Amino acid sequence: MQIGIIGSGHIGGTLTRRLSSLGHDVAVTNSRGPQSLTDLAAETGARAVSLEEAVQGAELVVIAIPLKVVPQLPASLFDGKLVVDANNYYPQRDGDVAELLDRSLSSSRWTADHLKGARVVKVFNNIQAAHLMDEGKPAGTPGRIGLPVAGDDADAKRIVMGLVDELGFDPVDAGTLDESWRQQPDTPVYGTDRDADGVREGLAAARP
């Protein structure tokens, strides 16, 4: 696939490395410009590009940036795009967002509201970057880590779940974007590396 990755931090950088190693055509961008990504590009074979280039040519776009930056993204650029939201809301970093503080909105619904027209799928937000890098296992391996995948578009979710499996994790259908609060910080599945059955149990046990 042609994959655009917005963000080169822990999760964005890890996905750049992993997806490039699997043979995907990866273009990566960040807020500091392509020149700041020279080392990552040389290491992975990914292309360091502008935001526009990363999104326009992509079949799938990963957003792995501080949530507070999402409203600065040009929404029209993402129209019709399959967007993987790997973000989390951390009030100490992102500031007070009333509807996220009281959980009347999931952070992915909030993101989708800013990127009208995008097909948003939530995944990769509940696993540590080091484990995303090193803990992928072949399908059928006992104890294989499960990752919750939430979204409203069934076809988009199917594509993303296939990518999760390719990366070495069991994709678990976590429902709609409105239900994705069940995999946000301070829930049973956040940062806990459960297997698929454990993820299902954790999602069911989550409380607002």
Side-chain angles (χ1 to χ4, degrees), residues 16-201:
T16 299
R17 293 176 175 92
R18 290 292 324 276
L19 293 169
S20 295
S21 73
L22 291 170
H24 294 285
D25 180 3
V26 177
V28 61
T29 189
N30 65 13
S31 61
R32 298 181 299 281
Q35 70 283 352
S36 69
L37 295 166
T38 303
D39 290 347
L40 182 62
E43 174 194 342
T44 62
R47 291 173 291 118
V49 298
S50 68
L51 173 66
E52 290 72 19
E53 290 172 303
V55 177
Q56 286 171 347
E59 299 168 76
L60 179 150
V61 179
V62 177
I63 297 179
I65 56 178
L67 180 134
K68 64 183 177 182
V69 181
V70 168
Q72 299 173 26
L73 296 173
S76 60
L77 191 62
F78 296 84
D79 192 39
K81 292 291 184 181
L82 198 175
V83 172
V84 169
D85 174 20
N87 291 347
N88 285 307
Y89 173 52
Y90 300 113
Q92 66 273 23
R93 179 195 66 189
D94 299 312
D96 292 347
V97 180
E99 58 266 47
L100 298 184
L101 279 172
D102 68 13
R103 295 203 177 188
S104 58
L105 275 187
S106 70
S107 65
S108 284
R109 175 62 67 199
W110 184 87
T111 294
D113 285 346
H114 283 288
L115 302 179
K116 295 288 189 187
R119 303 154 66 205
V120 177
V121 177
K122 180 78 162 188
V123 70
F124 303 128
N125 71 298
N126 76 308
I127 185 170
Q128 295 178 36
H131 296 185
L132 181 59
M133 186 72 197
D134 298 327
E135 299 299 328
K137 301 288 190 297
T141 302
R144 192 188 199 209
I145 295 172
L147 295 182
V149 184
D152 299 337
D153 184 308
D155 186 56
K157 194 189 288 187
R158 177 187 60 78
I159 293 168
V160 173
M161 291 177 86
L163 198 63
V164 170
D165 182 51
E166 188 183 355
L167 286 162
F169 303 93
D170 279 340
V172 176
D173 192 329
T176 66
L177 287 184
D178 288 329
E179 296 174 281
S180 65
W181 62 267
R182 294 179 180 275
Q183 66 197 73
Q184 292 179 174
D186 302 319
T187 62
V189 302
Y190 181 76
T192 52
D193 291 344
R194 296 170 175 235
D195 65 10
D197 287 341
V199 168
R200 294 184 188 97
E201 293 168 4

